Amino acid sequence: MRYGFWLPIFGGWLRNVEDENMPATFEYAKTVAQKGEQWGYSTTLVAELYLNDIKGPEKDSLEAWSTAAALAAVTEKLEIMTAVRPGFHYPAVTAKMAANIDHISNGRFTLNVVSAWWEEEARQYGGIFTEHDERYDRTEEFVQVLKGMWTNDVFHFRGKFYEVNGAHLAPKPVQKPHPILYAGGESERGKQAIVKHCDAYVMHGGTVEEIARKVADMKQRREQAGKEPFRSFGMAAFVICRDSEEEAQAELKRITDVKLSSGYAGYHDFVNKSQLELQLKLQDYSVSNRGLRPNLIGTPEQIADRILAYENAGVDLLLLQFSPQLEEMERFAKQVMPLVEERRNRLATKGEK
């Protein structure tokens, strides 16, 4: 299992808690990233939203790509997975930017391709927001242009949404043939695009049974398409680790006490524009990306056992959220990560006997 974390670019992850003691500043994000790689985290995911989806559209937030480039220069080992939404970017320019950041990071830059869901944000920032399936049509062309720019000396492309005429991109990315393309999607159209064009699949939080079904389904789709296996299956989760189960449950109750605020401004678009497989309740939206469904809540021992269950279900990358982030990331690294390894080794030893 690899452990990743969402970069804290919104000032927190909790819509019902006003101040989480984790400011939306580059200095705080840099500290979290540098400490994270020291503590054994492999990956940071930098979300891309121009409005603050957690604390409210009027609140501070960091822009993803400039933040990712800055982090690339001040970290050494961390994979910097950065979201990109085709409706807000030109693909040839994005390919050039990604190649440049891949060089700054010496081959640590990857992309999370997102087809977008927040119509109001697109209206404010001039993004292209169309019907759900057409967004994936655009995404497919966008990814084709990225790969073409990264792997051809001279690239030509003519599609419904994009046109590239004899473009050069040099230097090429450090990673060969190109940076890893992650993507997540739950609609039939989304899964078709991901199977055809991307390298790894990332999921919102779900139960072990839900995730096992998704992993098995995507593996089968990939095989039927005649493609190489996905390089990774990742899942989002929010962690509440405490010395006792009672303390953990008390914290869960505190953060899910729904207080309607501007932090819920995107709820309608997220539910109605994304074609989710599961109905999302308002309480689930208290934490982003269905992070509470994996139930990584309890003592270090309980959380370690649940992580092993997800590992057996096919997950090899956890994309974790914490609050307050710095303190809880350290607790997880020191109390949970070693237990997972210890329990895995113990189970392996029993299996050999």
Side-chain angles (χ1 to χ4, degrees), residues 302-314:
Q302 290 172 321
I303 294 172
D305 287 341
R306 290 183 188 120
I307 288 172
L308 287 174
Y310 281 104
E311 193 172 271
N312 290 333

Side-chain angles (χ1 to χ4, degrees), residues 6-208:
W6 291 66
L7 194 72
I9 64 171
F10 300 118
W13 305 112
L14 306 175
R15 292 185 170 91
N16 302 315
V17 179
E18 185 174 351
D19 185 1
E20 299 179 54
N21 193 31
M22 40 195 291
T25 64
F26 178 70
E27 281 303 311
Y28 184 75
K30 179 179 74 171
T31 299
V32 168
Q34 291 175 332
K35 290 291 186 181
E37 65 178 4
Q38 292 174 20
W39 292 331
Y41 292 88
S42 69
T43 305
T44 188
L45 171 55
V46 188
E48 183 187 55
L49 286 172
Y50 300 125
L51 298 176
N52 192 323
D53 170 46
I54 305 297
K55 299 302 182 182
E58 75 283 4
K59 301 295 185 180
D60 291 355
S61 63
L62 300 181
E63 191 280 321
W65 280 64
S66 53
T67 300
L71 281 186
V74 296
T75 53
E76 297 178 355
K77 299 178 290 184
L78 201 64
E79 175 187 8
I80 302 170
M81 183 200 306
T82 304
V84 60
R85 297 170 301 163
F88 291 89
H89 298 268
Y90 290 111
V93 175
T94 301
K96 179 66 175 180
M97 292 168 62
N100 200 52
I101 301 175
D102 202 41
H103 278 271
I104 295 170
S105 66
N106 194 26
R108 294 183 287 118
F109 186 71
T110 58
L111 282 77
N112 179 30
V113 183
V114 182
S115 289
W117 55 267
W118 200 354
E119 188 172 14
E120 173 60 19
E121 180 204 27
R123 185 191 67 79
Q124 291 188 25
Y125 274 81
I128 298 168
F129 194 92
T130 55
E131 290 302 312
H132 179 274
D133 285 5
E134 186 175 314
R135 296 203 299 274
Y136 276 103
D137 294 342
R138 176 180 293 277
T139 295
E140 286 194 313
E141 284 194 16
F142 189 92
V143 172
Q144 289 177 69
V145 174
L146 290 181
K147 290 180 178 179
M149 294 290 293
W150 287 332
T151 57
N152 290 276
D153 291 334
V154 181
F155 182 61
H156 300 266
F157 183 86
R158 187 181 298 274
K160 177 180 177 182
F161 304 100
Y162 303 111
E163 184 175 324
V164 180
N165 298 300
H168 299 258
L169 191 157
K172 300 298 185 190
V174 173
Q175 298 169 76
K176 303 301 178 190
H178 53 71
I180 298 171
L181 296 174
Y182 294 83
E186 299 186 355
S187 68
E188 181 60 30
R189 183 67 186 89
K191 290 175 182 177
Q192 291 171 359
I194 294 165
V195 165
K196 187 175 181 180
H197 294 288
C198 295
D199 308 307
Y201 187 58
V202 289
M203 299 165 280
H204 292 305
T207 66
V208 172

Side-chain angles (χ1 to χ4, degrees), residues 145-298:
V145 174
L146 290 181
K147 290 180 178 179
M149 294 290 293
W150 287 332
T151 57
N152 290 276
D153 291 334
V154 181
F155 182 61
H156 300 266
F157 183 86
R158 187 181 298 274
K160 177 180 177 182
F161 304 100
Y162 303 111
E163 184 175 324
V164 180
N165 298 300
H168 299 258
L169 191 157
K172 300 298 185 190
V174 173
Q175 298 169 76
K176 303 301 178 190
H178 53 71
I180 298 171
L181 296 174
Y182 294 83
E186 299 186 355
S187 68
E188 181 60 30
R189 183 67 186 89
K191 290 175 182 177
Q192 291 171 359
I194 294 165
V195 165
K196 187 175 181 180
H197 294 288
C198 295
D199 308 307
Y201 187 58
V202 289
M203 299 165 280
H204 292 305
T207 66
V208 172
E209 294 75 20
E210 290 165 354
I211 296 300
R213 286 195 297 270
K214 289 183 181 182
V215 170
D217 175 59
M218 292 301 282
K219 282 183 176 180
Q220 183 180 39
R221 289 169 181 263
R222 188 79 166 182
E223 184 178 351
Q224 291 174 344
K227 297 276 192 175
E228 293 182 358
F230 280 118
R231 295 178 61 172
S232 182
F233 286 93
M235 182 189 72
F238 186 86
V239 177
I240 302 176
C241 182
R242 297 293 185 270
D243 294 334
S244 71
E245 188 172 3
E246 292 74 21
E247 290 175 282
Q249 290 299 319
E251 174 66 0
L252 175 62
K253 183 178 180 180
R254 183 184 76 88
I255 69 174
T256 55
D257 180 14
V258 175
K259 300 178 177 67
L260 290 179
S261 67
S262 60
Y264 287 86
Y267 175 73
H268 178 78
D269 278 356
F270 184 74
V271 171
N272 293 290
K273 304 293 184 181
S274 301
Q275 293 192 14
L276 302 173
E277 289 178 326
L278 295 170
Q279 183 178 2
L280 189 71
K281 297 178 181 177
L282 198 62
Q283 189 180 52
D284 294 328
Y285 200 66
S286 296
V287 174
S288 71
N289 300 92
R290 295 208 294 263
L292 297 176
R293 285 190 71 79
N295 196 29
L296 297 188
I297 299 165

